[in-house]
Every structure is written in C-alpha cells, then in structure tokens.
Amino acid sequence: MPSSSFFIQPAMHLRRIGRALPSSRRFFSNKSSSHDLDNAINDLNKEMEFVFGEPPPPGLGANSTRSNNNNCNFMAQETHLNPDHASVRDSLGGGLTHVGSSGEAQMVDVSEKSTSKRTAIASCKVLLGKKVFDLVSANQVAKGDVLGVAKFAGIAGAKNTGSLIPLCHNIMLTHVRVDLRLNPKDCSVEIEGEAASTGKTGVEMEALTAVSVAGLTVYDMCKAASKDIQISNVRLESKTGGKSGDWFRHG
C-alpha cells in the first residue's frame, strides 16, 4: 500500500496544470457549474486511484482542494465582519472597561466616578527548597537580609504600579503593607501585601504588584544559591470599596 506521501507530488502537479490551463478550461473556474465541478473532481480522483491502486487519502485529493478553497472563503468573510464590540463586552458580564468601542485598548476615564475608601489584599508564595530556606532562615544569604530587602521592594513596587502597568492610573496611596513569613512546612516564603487609598479607582493592582515585586526580590537575593526557586499563587485575596462593592476569596 503506498504511503500518503506518494500522493502529494501528483496532487501538486495537478494543481499546477489547473493553474496553467486557460480560464475557460479550468476545473475550478468561476464559470463552471456545480455539477461540472463535481464531475471534474470525481474524474480526477479516479485517475489518482487508477495510478496508485487506491483512492487518495483525506486531505490530499481534489476534494480537499475544493474544501480548502471553501474554508479560505469562509475565513476571508469572517475577517471582514464588523462585530458590535460593545455587545460582546456586555455579554461577558460587566463589560471590559479597558477595551474601547472599536476593540482598541484604552485607559478608563474615572472622572465621573465617586470617591470612596478602597482597600485590597493580595498574596503569593516563593518556594525556596530546603537548602535556600535554611540560608534565609539563618540570614546567611550572600546579598544580605532577604526578607527585609523584599519588604521594601514590595512597598516601592506598589507605589510605582502606574509606571509598570500601562493602563493603570497613578493614584495617591494612603497605606501600603508587605509582610513576609517563613513557612518551614514547605520551605517557602509566604508574602501578603495590602494597599489602601481614598479615590475613584481600586487598588487591586497595587496590592498584586507589591507581592509580585517582593517575590521577585526574594528570587534575586537567592538565585546564586539555587535557580530552582519558584514564585507561585500570585492572587487577589480581597478588595473593598468602589461601585462593585466588597469581594473576598473563598477557599
């Protein structure tokens, strides 16, 4: 039984022949009727079956050419569609406020929003491994006090969130807290960050940035001892204030 690769070269030659024929004689001419086209495809497949002793495998015969052409036409039609981006956003529940009416990215205008007290708490975990955990616990890492440096890095990260995340607003923070705790059960550093502000937009990104930067700093301080350190479970734990109200993670 010939392999499917034997059909590829003849099929390519048949397509070239089709392109070389005058437009009035092409199998796939726009002027050909659907009936003539089906007959031409069947004849072509029969010739291939006669040559190779079996019909061409799916995806290599003349039928595949017609199918591919139809698929390309369908995809071309889809690319010219102009969907109602607003209705798409609304169907997702609450809308994607960072997407404009024509689908482009935008910074949200919060001018008309009311001022309220906003808070957010986020967390993450840095898995050190036994060797690095012991070094951090004994404060014997070559770069110095891992937890202390990471704490200040997390606070600085929260204060610079608007510069790091393109569509975040620069907001006046009233409070930033970053706590790091060693967990001997899994040889990790557990990090929790909190941000607070009284304004027109939330501080979830500030809290998330705080713990992310603190985790990255732990990695930087310890990477000389091990490259196997993992930063995991970066997530929002709770938020309060704003139009959407309070939210707390369960489980």
Side-chain angles (χ1 to χ4, degrees):
M1 181 181 295
S3 66
S4 60
S5 62
F6 291 141
F7 289 102
I8 296 177
Q9 195 65 28
M12 292 174 62
H13 287 309
L14 289 170
R15 293 193 186 101
R16 292 171 183 169
I17 292 171
R19 287 196 294 268
L21 289 174
S23 59
S24 61
R25 298 182 58 190
R26 289 182 185 174
F27 288 137
F28 306 112
S29 171
N30 291 332
K31 297 180 180 179
S32 299
S33 67
S34 176
H35 178 72
D36 292 338
L37 181 59
D38 289 337
N39 288 337
I41 290 174
N42 289 334
D43 291 341
L44 193 56
N45 284 332
K46 287 179 180 179
E47 290 182 17
M48 295 178 70
E49 182 176 358
F50 175 78
V51 173
F52 297 104
E54 63 177 42
L60 293 178
N63 279 319
S64 67
T65 303
R66 183 179 185 183
S67 175
N68 290 337
N69 288 339
N70 290 337
N71 289 338
C72 290
N73 291 335
F74 177 74
M75 293 175 64
Q77 292 175 2
E78 282 198 323
T79 59
H80 289 87
L81 293 177
N82 184 22
D84 184 349
H85 293 282
S87 63
V88 172
R89 294 197 314 273
D90 293 341
S91 68
L92 294 176
L96 300 176
T97 57
H98 283 73
V99 180
S101 59
S102 59
E104 80 285 359
Q106 67 175 5
M107 192 170 187
V108 177
D109 186 353
V110 297
S111 302
E112 303 301 321
K113 297 179 73 173
S114 60
T115 298
S116 65
K117 183 177 180 180
R118 321 274 187 136
T119 66
I121 296 176
S123 67
C124 80
K125 176 176 287 194
V126 184
L127 300 172
L128 300 175
K130 184 67 165 62
K131 173 186 173 182
V132 179
F133 183 84
D134 290 342
L135 291 173
V136 174
S137 299
N139 197 19
Q140 293 181 351
V141 174
K143 284 192 174 183
D145 180 10
V146 174
L147 303 186
V149 174
K151 178 185 183 72
F152 289 120
I155 294 173
K159 293 165 64 177
N160 286 278
T161 300
S163 299
L164 298 171
I165 311 299
L167 301 182
C168 276
H169 295 80
N170 290 316
I171 62 177
M172 183 67 70
L173 293 171
T174 58
H175 173 65
V176 178
R177 171 182 61 85
V178 178
D179 293 329
L180 297 93
R181 183 176 70 89
L182 292 171
N183 185 347
K185 292 182 179 179
D186 57 3
C187 296
S188 69
V189 179
E190 295 178 345
I191 306 175
E192 183 176 89
E194 179 180 11
S197 175
T198 299
K200 297 184 176 184
T201 186
V203 289
E204 295 96 318
M205 291 307 302
E206 282 70 20
L208 287 164
T209 301
V211 298
S212 298
V213 172
L216 288 169
T217 302
V218 171
Y219 187 98
D220 177 65
M221 298 281 287
C222 301
K223 68 179 185 294
S226 173
K227 300 296 189 294
D228 197 36
I229 300 169
Q230 299 179 46
I231 302 172
S232 65
N233 296 341
V234 179
R235 63 186 194 179
L236 183 69
E237 299 294 346
S238 65
K239 58 87 62 179
T240 65
K243 183 179 179 180
S244 63
D246 298 348
W247 179 87
F248 300 91
R249 178 175 298 280
H250 298 288

